[in-house]
Each structure stands twice: as C-alpha cells, then as structure tokens.
Amino acid sequence: QVQLVESGGGLVQAGGSLRLSCAASGRTFNAMGWFRQAPGKEREFVAAISWSGYSIYYADSVKGRFTIARDNAQNTVYLQMNSLKPEDTAVYYCAARLSRVATVTGTYDYWGQGTQVTVSS
C-alpha cells in the first residue's frame, strides 16, 4: 500500500522558515513534488524533483526562497521554505508520480493528506 505522509507544517511569522518532510512508503517514485492550496483557491504547483535530483522545477512565486530535495535511501522528499510570506499560507501536499517529473497537478498519481502552513504578518 502506497502512503505519503507529510510533516513539518505549523505557524511561523513572516520572514521565518519551515521545513516540510514527506515520507513515502510502498514503492519508490521517479518524481516527487509539493503543491499547495489556500482557502478558496485551486491547488497549485510549488516544486518538483526527479529521482536523480537533476531536474528541479519551482513555481515563480517561490523561486529563491524554497528548496526541494530528496533522500532516495529514506524515500523522503523535503521542502525548505525560507523568507516566508503571509501569501504562502496554505495546506501543503506532497505528491508522487511514476513517470517523469512534471508541474501539472492532475498528472500526479499519489497524494499525501496535507500539512497546514500558516504565516502571520
């Protein structure tokens, strides 16, 4: 049974940092990514990484502030979030994909339950 379990969310002041983790079990994945959904908005792409780590993509809104990384030995993907802004407030979801890395929400095969990130001003 495939599971993706996120952790690391919480409440932080603007300018602060958080690190999200997503532990996968049941199988390994070529691509893993992070998405987020704010209240009243659609789920949007944040970052994605290929198995090798060679291919990495970021949404323009987080470039230079967020860093995605993965540890294949632990089957875990991370999202380091720095210089957080109130507009980063959302539920953050980990996702995994069997095929090549992608940035489109609907193309991911497995999803975690989400972790709340709240950035206060």
Side-chain angles (χ1 to χ4, degrees), residues 87-119:
E87 50 264 43
D88 293 319
T89 295
V91 177
Y92 282 70
Y93 296 91
C94 172
R97 178 179 156 98
L98 300 176
S99 51
R100 60 185 297 179
V101 63
T103 62
V104 179
T105 306
T107 62
Y108 277 73
D109 303 300
Y110 299 94
W111 292 84
Q113 81 288 350
T115 185
Q116 177 70 46
V117 171
T118 302
V119 184

Side-chain angles (χ1 to χ4, degrees), residues 14-53:
S17 299
L18 283 174
R19 188 174 86 148
L20 305 183
S21 300
C22 172
S25 61
R27 68 161 299 143
T28 56
F29 299 96
N30 184 22
M32 298 190 77
W34 289 95
F35 295 77
R36 66 186 182 187
Q37 187 166 18
K41 294 188 177 181
E42 292 190 353
R43 193 170 298 187
E44 64 176 6
F45 169 74
V46 175
I49 186 169
S50 64
W51 170 266
S52 66

